[in-house]
Amino acid sequence: MSETIQRCWTGKDLLLVEDDEVSAELMYELFVGTGLTVHHVKEGRKAIEFFDKNPDISIVLMDIRLPDISGIEVTKHIKSKRNTPVIAQTAFAMEEERRRFISDGCDDYISKPVERDELFAKISVFLDK
């Protein structure tokens, strides 16, 4: 049994780019009590628009498969504007896919279904500085 990691990210904003409503609800539940403000968008173009209008985004959780444009294209846009950390989240679990996501601009990668302690450990690398 793993020890649950407690985090306090008050004042930090996370952009969750996730087209699946059930997955988005599960992610919201993970962040209850962390102080993190979660903003959710379902499409890549909406993610770009939201990111461009909100300079306080501290980190992005990026679904790779989106209904309009790929999460990789959204990540490239984000990285062209600011060096905001992007963690790819996807059902793809192959090592070669992970390497591709990193080489395409993502800062880290987590596979679905997302495990809370693993996700928090990855986020803390960027937000606990």
Side-chain angles (χ1 to χ4, degrees), residues 2-37:
S2 68
E3 183 179 321
T4 300
I5 298 172
Q6 296 297 320
R7 294 287 185 235
C8 181
W9 292 310
T10 302
K12 304 286 185 176
D13 287 54
L14 178 142
L15 176 57
L16 172 62
V17 185
E18 173 60 67
D19 65 318
D20 181 73
E21 200 62 47
V22 172
S23 294
E25 286 297 320
L26 291 172
M27 293 301 280
Y28 271 114
E29 290 297 317
L30 291 179
F31 294 112
V32 169
T34 64
L36 194 62
T37 301

Side-chain angles (χ1 to χ4, degrees), residues 27 59-65 72 75 85-115 117-123 125-126:
M27 293 301 280
I59 193 164
V60 179
L61 283 179
M62 181 68 64
D63 188 8
I64 297 301
R65 288 196 175 191
I72 294 300
T75 298
V86 177
I87 299 175
Q89 55 166 345
T90 182
F92 297 117
M94 304 294 283
E95 180 63 25
E96 63 192 47
E97 292 292 329
R98 182 190 148 322
R99 282 194 299 272
R100 184 175 64 87
F101 300 147
I102 300 298
S103 71
D104 284 342
C106 296
D107 296 282
D108 207 340
Y109 161 90
I110 192 163
S111 61
K112 295 178 182 177
V114 172
E115 201 278 328
D117 288 350
E118 179 185 5
L119 177 61
F120 281 20
K122 289 177 180 287
I123 290 172
V125 167
F126 302 106

